[in-house]
Amino acid sequence: MKKIILLLVFISFTAYSQNRFTGTWSTENCKNCSKKYILKLNIAQSVSKIYGTAEITSDDKNLESGVMEISGYVYVLGDRAQIKIKTKDGLSAGAVLIANDGTIQFAKRGGSDLIPQETILTKLYD
């Protein structure tokens, strides 16, 4: 009986946390964010893995990044994810994504200066 209850609890956590990060996320609609650049993430979550692309667009050509590759994993409870962003040139940076009520808090954790230190992303598309 204990094994069945434990299995049901595990399934409920897994079902609750699935696909929380999937979609197109951007700083376009952020009211308190800097408008010098727009960070856009297109990510897909498959159970505990995250894959996708990131891009920074700006009027200033020095801030533009081109398309970058995202890979990472989602923590057990599903509200946080650790990602790694790589450019075609081989530069990389790490970040943590924290899901909160339709927004994602993006916090850089190290690496090159490809991405902003911290920002809030809102969902544009599923």
Side-chain angles (χ1 to χ4, degrees):
M1 186 65 170
K2 289 181 183 180
K3 290 181 182 180
I4 292 173
I5 292 173
L6 187 60
L7 179 65
L8 290 175
V9 168
F10 178 72
I11 290 171
S12 67
F13 277 129
T14 307
Y16 174 73
S17 66
Q18 266 189 338
N19 301 330
R20 184 177 285 196
F21 295 98
T22 297
T24 300
W25 301 85
S26 176
T27 58
E28 254 180 89
N29 299 330
C30 182
K31 295 176 183 145
N32 299 329
C33 299
S34 170
K35 296 299 178 184
K36 292 190 289 188
Y37 61 85
I38 295 174
L39 172 64
K40 185 183 273 188
L41 303 177
N42 293 314
I43 51 180
Q45 178 183 347
S46 175
V47 185
S48 66
K49 298 286 185 186
I50 289 182
Y51 301 99
T53 60
E55 184 175 11
I56 295 177
T57 56
S58 176
D59 292 334
D60 183 4
K61 296 297 179 193
N62 295 330
L63 295 177
E64 288 200 6
S65 67
V67 177
M68 301 177 285
E69 180 183 320
I70 295 176
S71 61
Y73 62 93
V74 179
Y75 289 112
V76 176
L77 294 178
D79 63 340
R80 290 177 182 252
Q82 178 77 35
I83 62 170
K84 185 174 186 178
I85 300 174
K86 287 176 53 175
T87 65
K88 294 178 184 176
D89 301 335
L91 299 173
S92 65
V96 173
L97 304 176
I98 303 168
N100 293 323
D101 298 327
T103 62
I104 291 181
Q105 180 182 353
F106 178 93
K108 180 180 170 187
R109 291 292 186 224
S112 44
D113 292 333
L114 307 169
I115 52 177
Q117 289 290 331
E118 195 168 302
T119 190
I120 302 292
L121 303 166
T122 56
K123 194 169 202 173
L124 298 179
Y125 314 108
D126 281 329

